[in-house]
Amino acid sequence: MRIEDWTPAGGGDSMRIDITHGRISAIEPMQMPSVGRPDRTVDAAGRLLLPGFVDAHAHVVEAGVEMLRCDMTGCSDADETLRAVAEFAGRNSSDWIIGRGWELAHLPAEVRSLNLIDSLTGAVPAYLNNANGHCAWVNSAALRIAGIDRATPDPAGGVVGRDVHGDPDGMLYESAMNLVADLLPTLSAVEKRAGLRAAESLLHSYGVTAWQEAIVGDYVPTTDVLDTLREGVRSGEVRSRVNGALWWPRGVGEEALDEVLAQRALAGEDPRFRCDAVKIMYDGTASSRTAATIAPYLDAKQPETFFTPAQLSRIVAAADGAGLDVHIHANGDRAVRDAVDAIAQLGPEMRRDRRHQIAHLNLVRDEEIRRMAALGVIAVVQPLWAHCSAKIVDHVLAGLAAGDAGRLYRFGSMAVAGVPLASSSDWPVSTPNPWPAMHTAVHRTAYGAEHEPLVADEGLGLFAALRAATAGGARALRREAEIGSIRAGAAADLVLLDRGWTELEEDIGGAVPDMTMIDGEVVFER
């Protein structure tokens, strides 16, 4: 295949690229004489050609499964959300109503109630996961089946929501979710594979050709996907390149290493599917005020982490010693500090090409930014979240201590300091479409919205945002030798955009791919 007259990122002269046996074999200026007759020539007509996008933190199988259930991720307000639940309940024929994607900003406590979910779902037990995956709304039927009543104690690492009388109010937070989630019908291999197919098809339409599955293991049923991914890749059904972050059981110390290594061995050695990292969930989220912050929240809460700092250090040392990268979920600045401490204690001895990562980084101090840069710790960020959404304003900014608001999503400061950035979506928490996220990374506003930027000086330049979404993600996945850049010898995982560089600068969030290729084969075309 040959693609002619395409614009490189950053603008410049029109180029021509040849693809042979799935690899980029030549890149030349258009004015040079062409050699040979390819089997197919694509006239890019000045459009931008980019490396395939890499989502460095997503729950793709889970997202695909949720697409086939009661999917509330596209709902823009309370009315749409409640209508989606009611309509799904009306056509549901299974023993449970299971869904995901409602937002706290759309259903605040004064709207959300046990009576409301009961009126929508009736006698069929219902389990509706919040968009961020850290709390769930369940109905009375589900509470009865789980035996949850006013006498039920809060489990370690979780909270059962209660009304003013002390009775369960239908909300389950963090590990309390498992009181009901563990009772859900077993998710079949067929359902998981169907979800994976649906999700990968959507990713290709957005130009995403590789991702890191952010939890592979027995956290919740939709994350127990090692076999799903391995068999999907092995059969050729999955075309993308996938890395899995193996779940480190929450609350279990370094003794879990043998179990993690056994899972890694089961993953096999297929070059398209590898498990090089472990996922360690260290704290919660700022929106639910379970992120571990240095300064207390305004309501005086100081949440505990899921491991002690000493436990985290031992786990990181054990994983690193076994040749695994760590992928640590840390939202609050105290959690980020502890994560950096744990990585820093490894020291230079037994130095290897480490790719340790901290994901989310809602709040981060200057000191940790400097240390991450010095240590080469990769910041896996979600650019789409860095704007004044209702969630940020009502559930994050409203609860933070004075001074913390200016330290939200510090992409610009990290880039200037030299912290390696890798972009991600955390799908299904938010859309995997990288283009609205790219707009937010640059402008610190939501695409199409009119509001003040969120900490405007933390924006990235467009080229830096593109690099984080391509080369940065490829490095996090240890795949920079094959993907993430356009160069001779690299795999032809490419995205032909619907516009050139100048048009992209004028309208980032509205960009769409006209074509997506993996190994030079078209997997999506408009």
Side-chain angles (χ1 to χ4, degrees):
M1 175 183 282
R2 175 175 292 159
I3 305 174
E4 295 185 338
D5 192 22
W6 55 271
T7 302
D13 295 334
S14 295
M15 304 292 289
R16 177 174 58 240
I17 188 169
D18 285 342
I19 300 168
T20 307
H21 302 305
R23 296 275 165 173
I24 298 172
S25 53
I27 306 172
E28 300 168 331
M30 275 295 291
Q31 57 266 34
M32 288 183 62
S34 61
V35 178
R37 300 181 64 180
D39 58 351
R40 180 183 179 188
T41 298
V42 174
D43 181 4
R47 290 171 288 173
L48 188 64
L49 188 70
L50 296 167
F53 282 87
V54 181
D55 194 322
H57 180 113
H59 308 275
V60 172
V61 179
E62 180 175 11
V65 169
E66 301 299 351
M67 288 169 64
L68 306 177
R69 289 175 165 178
C70 181
D71 184 9
M72 297 162 278
T73 55
C75 298
S76 60
D77 56 28
D79 288 342
E80 285 190 14
T81 304
L82 300 178
R83 187 163 55 249
V85 175
E87 290 176 355
F88 183 86
R91 64 177 184 271
N92 178 60
S93 59
S94 65
D95 294 335
W96 280 77
I97 295 169
I98 304 171
R100 167 109 183 216
W102 61 271
E103 293 279 2
L104 285 166
H106 299 158
L107 299 178
E110 60 268 23
V111 172
R112 187 186 65 243
S113 69
L114 187 58
N115 287 337
L116 178 56
I117 190 172
D118 284 349
S119 70
L120 296 169
T121 58
V124 179
Y127 177 88
L128 304 179
N129 211 326
N130 170 254
N132 68 21
H134 288 260
C135 60
W137 190 22
V138 302
N139 66 1
S140 293
L143 292 172
R144 282 194 299 272
I145 291 172
I148 300 172
D149 57 27
R150 64 184 306 151
T152 302
D154 290 339
V159 173
V160 176
R162 303 176 194 276
D163 63 20
V164 295
H165 305 293
D167 293 315
D169 65 2
M171 286 299 298
L172 303 173
Y173 300 91
E174 301 295 349
S175 65
M177 296 160 58
N178 294 334
L179 298 175
V180 173
D182 288 346
L183 304 176
L184 298 178
T186 301
L187 190 61
S188 72
V190 171
E191 290 174 296
K192 292 178 187 178
R193 289 284 283 272
L196 176 56
R197 288 194 300 272
E200 189 189 33
S201 178
L202 185 62
L203 289 176
H204 290 169
S205 75
Y206 291 141
V208 178
T209 59
W211 76 84
Q212 179 162 223
E213 189 79 17
I215 299 179
V216 175
D218 191 16
Y219 171 50
V220 294
T222 47
T223 63
D224 190 8
V225 295
L226 190 149
D227 288 344
T228 306
L229 292 167
R230 182 188 60 195
E231 297 307 319
V233 169
R234 181 180 295 172
S235 69
E237 192 174 44
V238 174
R239 302 293 305 279
S240 307
R241 304 175 204 278
V242 186
N243 282 45
L246 295 165
W247 175 244
W248 195 284
R250 198 154 69 181
V252 182
E254 62 271 28
E255 63 271 21
L257 180 62
D258 288 345
E259 177 186 341
V260 169
L261 292 177
Q263 291 295 301
R264 187 190 195 190
L266 286 175
E269 298 295 335
D270 193 301
R272 286 190 176 271
F273 175 57
R274 304 200 306 262
C275 290
D276 296 324
V278 291
K279 168 66 175 288
I280 303 168
M281 189 177 291
Y282 190 58
D283 72 342
T285 68
S287 59
S288 60
R289 299 186 189 175
T290 53
T293 56
I294 293 172
Y297 292 92
L298 293 181
D299 60 7
K301 285 183 179 179
Q302 278 194 302
E304 295 297 320
T305 52
F306 298 123
F307 301 91
T308 67
Q311 285 176 320
L312 179 65
S313 291
R314 291 194 296 270
I315 291 168
V316 170
D320 181 78
L324 292 164
D325 299 323
V326 295
H327 185 94
I328 304 173
H329 168 123
N331 261 307
D333 52 2
R334 175 159 52 94
V336 174
R337 181 192 64 193
D338 292 349
V340 176
D341 284 346
I343 295 170
Q345 55 98 27
L346 297 172
E349 54 277 355
M350 297 178 64
R351 175 67 64 186
R352 64 181 180 85
D353 182 20
R354 290 171 170 141
R355 304 291 173 90
H356 296 323
Q357 303 158 35
I358 301 176
H360 307 316
L361 301 124
N362 193 313
L363 285 172
V364 58
R365 303 184 306 168
D366 289 345
E367 176 63 18
E368 271 61 72
I369 290 176
R370 289 192 293 269
R371 297 169 69 205
M372 288 175 67
L375 294 165
V377 176
I378 299 170
V380 179
V381 298
Q382 293 76 41
L384 189 67
W385 302 351
H387 65 92
C388 290
S389 65
K391 179 191 291 186
I392 289 290
V393 173
D394 297 337
H395 295 277
V396 178
L397 293 176
L400 290 177
D404 278 353
R407 298 190 293 109
L408 286 169
Y409 302 116
R410 301 185 65 189
F411 311 148
S413 293
M414 288 189 282
V416 169
V419 176
L421 296 179
S423 291
S424 67
S425 66
D426 204 5
W427 191 35
V429 175
S430 49
T431 174
N433 185 348
W435 298 105
M438 205 86 63
H439 170 96
T440 302
V442 173
H443 298 293
R444 305 288 288 194
T445 60
Y447 180 63
E450 294 183 4
H451 56 68
E452 289 297 312
L454 177 69
V455 198
D457 57 0
E458 290 294 349
L460 295 172
L462 177 54
F463 192 82
L466 283 167
R467 185 169 58 245
T470 53
R475 187 172 182 277
L477 272 59
R478 294 183 173 271
R479 292 183 180 272
E480 71 273 20
E482 55 182 342
I483 61 173
S485 61
I486 299 178
R487 54 184 172 75
D493 292 10
L494 301 168
V495 179
L496 181 61
L497 211 55
D498 68 337
R499 62 198 65 193
W501 180 259
T502 301
E503 294 81 10
L504 181 64
E505 288 183 305
E506 294 170 350
D507 180 18
I508 303 170
V512 293
D514 280 339
M515 180 184 292
T516 303
M517 287 175 282
I518 294 178
D519 289 328
E521 295 186 17
V522 176
V523 295
F524 169 79
E525 190 166 10
R526 295 177 69 82

